[in-house]
Amino acid sequence: QVQLVESGGGLVQAGGSLRLSCAASGRTFSSYTMSWFRQAPGKERELVANIGWSGDATYYADSVKGRFTISRDNLKNTGYLQMDSLKPEDTAVYYCRVRIPGYLLPIDYWGQGTQVTVSS
């Protein structure tokens, strides 16, 4: 089993910054992909950013490109999402997800989520 604990959410004014952390504990893996998703009230959960094991493969949603930066520290089993120039539309619950290779299908683990609220 893998436990993921997110932290760093909160209330910030538009234009401000927050840094989310996702600490993984429990079973360790030789490699995994880490992703950040978010879900706003009344909307579906959407992928925000993704980073591969070595950190050289990243993806960003168009809505956050140039403002958010995903990173990871494999020695600490921790991932980060640096969010700058925040906008009210970034308000959502943010979740981290770890995906590991499975025998037939990948296995996903999710954190409990952390609330990010951006005021205008």
Side-chain angles (χ1 to χ4, degrees):
Q1 272 290 35
V2 174
Q3 293 79 41
L4 301 176
V5 178
E6 298 113 333
S7 60
L11 173 64
V12 64
Q13 288 188 333
S17 298
L18 285 173
R19 188 193 195 204
L20 305 184
S21 298
C22 176
S25 61
R27 181 181 167 186
T28 58
F29 308 99
S30 60
S31 66
Y32 58 86
T33 300
M34 178 170 279
S35 308
W36 288 94
F37 288 75
R38 68 185 180 186
Q39 187 166 19
K43 295 188 177 181
E44 293 187 354
R45 190 172 297 188
E46 63 172 348
L47 175 64
V48 174
N50 195 72
I51 187 167
W53 165 250
S54 63
D56 60 351
T58 58
Y59 162 85
Y60 295 96
D62 288 342
S63 58
V64 306
K65 206 171 289 184
R67 300 187 298 119
F68 290 11
T69 304
I70 189 171
S71 62
R72 62 191 293 167
D73 184 336
N74 290 336
L75 293 179
K76 296 181 179 179
N77 280 330
T78 301
Y80 306 96
L81 185 68
Q82 176 67 40
M83 306 186 295
D84 299 316
S85 302
L86 283 162
K87 304 175 181 180
E89 51 264 43
D90 295 318
T91 296
V93 178
Y94 284 71
Y95 300 89
C96 68
R97 183 196 74 182
V98 163
R99 169 165 283 185
I100 65 169
Y103 179 68
L104 293 176
L105 295 173
I107 302 172
D108 293 336
Y109 296 93
W110 292 87
Q112 82 288 353
T114 185
Q115 177 70 47
V116 171
T117 303
V118 184
S119 63
S120 57

